[in-house]
């Protein structure tokens, strides 16, 4: 299934050119046009799934296996100091293109990026209540 109005469907299926670094029958991996750091790439399935909630489990597992392979290769080739995988689901979580994608972001000690969140705090009672809410 593809969405004819989805830019990532068009890129993943070769209708729009990209700086592709890997491709197989399920995925295209290409460099981000607005990179957070040198080598920032996206893993995008060729079929349309709006987010991780919609992605079939086996395809999600394949995406993670591909991420591991690509980050290992990129770490070696780009000599980065670390690596971040970022995957957002929903507008509130920062998703801007509603086609599942996984960011592969090489990190360098001097890249100046602050891809993080502000740590919060919760009491033991609040943490227990959240745990109970999730597992009940």
């Amino acid at each position: 299934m593809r969405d004819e109005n989805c830019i990532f469907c068009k890129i993943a299926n070769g209708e729009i050119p990209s700086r592709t670094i890997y491709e197989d029958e399920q995925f295209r991996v290409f460099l981000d046009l607005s990179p957070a750091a040198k080598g920032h790439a996206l893993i995008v399935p060729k079929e349309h799934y709006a987010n991780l909630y919609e992605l079939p489990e086996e395809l999600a597992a394949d995406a993670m296996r591909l991420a591991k392979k690509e980050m290992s290769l990129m770490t070696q080739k780009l000599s980065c100091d670390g690596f971040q995988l970022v995957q957002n689901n929903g507008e509130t979580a920062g998703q801007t293109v509603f086609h599942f994608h996984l960011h592969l972001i090489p990190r360098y000690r001097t890249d100046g990026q602050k891809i993080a969140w502000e740590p919060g705090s919760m009491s033991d009672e609040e943490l227990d209540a959240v745990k109970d809410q999730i597992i009940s």
Side-chain angles (χ1 to χ4, degrees), residues 90-111:
E91 187 176 348
T92 301
Q95 187 177 10
T96 57
V97 178
F98 294 91
H99 180 120
F100 171 86
H101 56 286
L102 178 59
H103 294 262
L104 304 172
I105 307 173
R107 296 303 308 272
Y108 306 89
R109 284 184 179 84
T110 59
D111 65 22

Side-chain angles (χ1 to χ4, degrees), residues 101-135:
H101 56 286
L102 178 59
H103 294 262
L104 304 172
I105 307 173
R107 296 303 308 272
Y108 306 89
R109 284 184 179 84
T110 59
D111 65 22
Q113 284 292 351
K114 305 268 187 279
I115 305 170
W117 54 88
E118 290 292 324
S121 64
M122 295 181 91
S123 68
D124 287 341
E125 293 80 17
E126 291 169 316
L127 289 169
D128 287 340
V130 171
K131 179 195 71 149
D132 292 344
Q133 185 178 1
I134 292 170
I135 63 173

Side-chain angles (χ1 to χ4, degrees), residues 53-120:
Y53 299 113
E54 291 185 6
L55 197 66
E57 285 186 26
E58 188 57 36
L59 196 58
D62 291 343
M64 192 55 70
R65 281 189 282 274
L66 178 56
K68 183 177 188 221
K69 176 184 163 189
E70 288 298 306
M71 71 181 266
S72 295
L73 176 68
M74 293 166 77
T75 297
Q76 176 188 27
K77 298 285 189 174
L78 299 175
S79 300
C80 56
D81 302 306
F83 224 94
Q84 268 182 308
L85 301 178
V86 177
Q87 203 283 306
N88 304 314
N89 294 281
E91 187 176 348
T92 301
Q95 187 177 10
T96 57
V97 178
F98 294 91
H99 180 120
F100 171 86
H101 56 286
L102 178 59
H103 294 262
L104 304 172
I105 307 173
R107 296 303 308 272
Y108 306 89
R109 284 184 179 84
T110 59
D111 65 22
Q113 284 292 351
K114 305 268 187 279
I115 305 170
W117 54 88
E118 290 292 324

Side-chain angles (χ1 to χ4, degrees), residues 11-24:
I11 294 170
N13 290 286
E15 297 169 36
I16 294 175
S18 66
R19 288 178 177 84
T20 299
I21 60 173
Y22 176 85
E23 181 180 11
D24 64 22

